[in-house]
Amino acid sequence: MVFKAISKLPEGYSEGTYRNRSYGITKEIFNGGKSFKVYGKELGGSDFISLNYYCTASGGLLKPCEMSKEKVVTFLRNVQLKID
């Protein structure tokens, strides 16, 4: 589920809405598509989302940065990307 949600985010910068707040979201891809870094910052606010995700032989490994796994997963499941 987490990999699928990360895959829906475009590489580079995008914007989305989560809990009626706007976020700037940056997604970087590393290791030939086997690891990802996602950072979302609330525009005009102080909230943020930060995570690394690694595709391993035994499955995916989610590593939130300084926050709970639940916060990251909830954001990924519910953020609505803005379409230009």
Side-chain angles (χ1 to χ4, degrees):
M1 163 54 205
V2 173
F3 177 76
K4 188 174 182 178
I6 292 171
S7 296
K8 289 181 181 180
L9 297 172
E11 185 175 5
Y13 181 81
S14 60
E15 292 186 3
T17 303
Y18 173 68
R19 294 186 176 171
N20 296 317
R21 296 186 235 160
S22 294
Y23 283 77
I25 305 163
T26 303
K27 174 182 162 184
E28 296 178 83
I29 302 173
F30 301 96
N31 301 317
K34 294 186 179 182
S35 61
F36 305 88
K37 178 176 180 66
V38 177
Y39 182 80
K41 170 76 171 98
E42 181 185 3
L43 301 175
S46 61
D47 191 36
F48 69 96
I49 300 294
S50 183
L51 67 101
N52 292 296
Y53 185 85
Y54 306 94
C55 299
T56 67
S58 60
L61 179 61
L62 174 64
K63 294 296 228 171
C65 303
E66 301 179 16
M67 64 194 57
S68 71
K69 180 178 178 181
E70 291 78 20
K71 180 176 180 177
V72 168
V73 170
T74 300
F75 178 86
L76 291 172
R77 284 184 180 161
N78 295 291
V79 67
Q80 298 295 313
L81 294 177
K82 292 183 182 176
I83 300 171
D84 292 329

